[in-house]
Amino acid sequence: MELKFSITQEQLITIAKKINSERMAKNARLAILLHAFIVRVLLLWIPLLSPLILFYFFLEIHTPETYIAIAICAISYLIVWTFLLKNIAENQASKFAVKITTLDRTIENTTLHRLASLEGSHTVTATASTLTLLPHCGKSITIPWTKFCYVKQDDDFYYLTSCNLILFKATYLIAKNGDTTETAAYQAGLEYIMSHLQPDKIEHQNFSASNE
């Protein structure tokens, strides 16, 4: 079964925006977690434990007074951390995350440039064992159905991701509407393709930034 469709530049711009938007959101979440972790280690645990470490390794005489002094210092520092330093650390992490969510023009252009080769006509041929994708420029790619690890979708496309190796994934686009095929025949072709994918691999949600 053969399907033909086209991908326009406007559609690629929309996809690029989704990729960049979700990439920035992911980076922001990671930045907050990483920043908070580093700050807590530097501002909480190291200052809190350093007196005990110094006492253990460098003081030869261990007296009850020394333990009491360490306990008082630790409790005092915990109070300072709870009511002052913790809020400062969290605020700084949030400010840092806001900064990296501002899209750089270079990144935006790079993402769109990577997608530029998808513009134009495409042909998809589905058989009982494989799916063959032929872009308007380039060589055809034949993928066994068993290699597809998951499928996502948005209003315009299905995104079929193949997993050849654990660390290597590739995502391919199939339009929900054809340009040279009758509507009924095209929809039947899409149903044929979806029927060869395992139901648990089909995710009915918006396009994610992991798809490229």
Side-chain angles (χ1 to χ4, degrees):
M1 180 171 291
E2 184 177 277
L3 300 180
K4 294 181 181 293
F5 61 91
S6 294
I7 300 178
T8 66
Q9 185 180 26
E10 289 74 16
Q11 290 174 322
L12 293 180
I13 292 175
T14 300
I15 294 173
K17 289 180 178 179
K18 291 179 181 179
I19 291 175
N20 290 328
S21 176
E22 296 200 11
R23 179 182 294 153
M24 288 187 297
K26 180 180 179 181
N27 290 342
R29 291 192 296 268
L30 292 176
I32 291 176
L33 292 175
L34 181 60
H35 189 277
F37 171 77
I38 293 175
V39 169
R40 278 173 170 77
V41 170
L42 294 179
L43 292 182
L44 177 61
W45 293 110
I46 291 180
L48 192 62
L49 297 178
S50 57
L52 181 60
I53 295 173
L54 292 174
F55 168 72
Y56 181 81
F57 286 103
F58 296 101
L59 293 182
E60 296 181 356
I61 301 176
H62 297 178
T63 64
E65 290 79 7
T66 305
Y67 285 106
I68 293 173
I70 292 176
I72 292 174
C73 292
I75 293 173
S76 301
Y77 192 82
L78 280 176
I79 294 174
V80 174
W81 165 261
T82 301
F83 293 100
L84 179 62
L85 296 180
K86 182 180 179 181
N87 292 332
I88 294 176
E90 292 177 348
N91 290 336
Q92 290 299 319
S94 299
K95 291 179 181 178
F96 180 74
V98 170
K99 289 181 180 179
I100 67 172
T101 55
T102 302
L103 181 61
D104 184 85
R105 179 64 61 180
T106 302
I107 297 176
E108 185 177 14
N109 292 337
T110 299
T111 303
L112 188 58
H113 178 73
R114 292 177 59 187
L115 297 172
S117 61
L118 298 176
E119 184 179 353
S121 59
H122 294 254
T123 301
V124 175
T125 304
T127 67
S129 58
T130 63
L131 183 70
T132 300
L133 303 104
L134 177 62
H136 72 287
C137 60
K139 298 180 179 179
S140 63
I141 302 172
T142 299
I143 306 169
W145 294 113
T146 55
K147 292 293 184 180
F148 289 105
C149 50
Y150 55 85
V151 179
K152 294 185 178 182
Q153 61 177 302
D154 59 18
D155 294 337
D156 297 321
F157 297 99
Y158 288 104
Y159 301 86
L160 283 66
T161 299
S162 64
C163 305
N164 295 323
L165 297 172
I166 295 178
L167 298 179
F168 180 77
K169 297 180 180 179
T171 299
Y172 307 95
L173 280 65
I174 298 180
K176 289 188 173 182
N177 297 289
D179 54 355
T180 59
T181 308
E182 293 183 1
T183 301
Y186 193 88
Q187 294 304 315
L190 290 178
E191 293 178 3
Y192 180 81
I193 292 174
M194 293 298 108
S195 69
H196 282 76
L197 300 171
Q198 298 181 20
D200 59 339
K201 295 180 180 179
I202 302 176
E203 300 183 18
H204 297 280
Q205 59 184 50
N206 291 333
F207 173 68
S208 172
S210 61
N211 298 312
E212 299 180 356

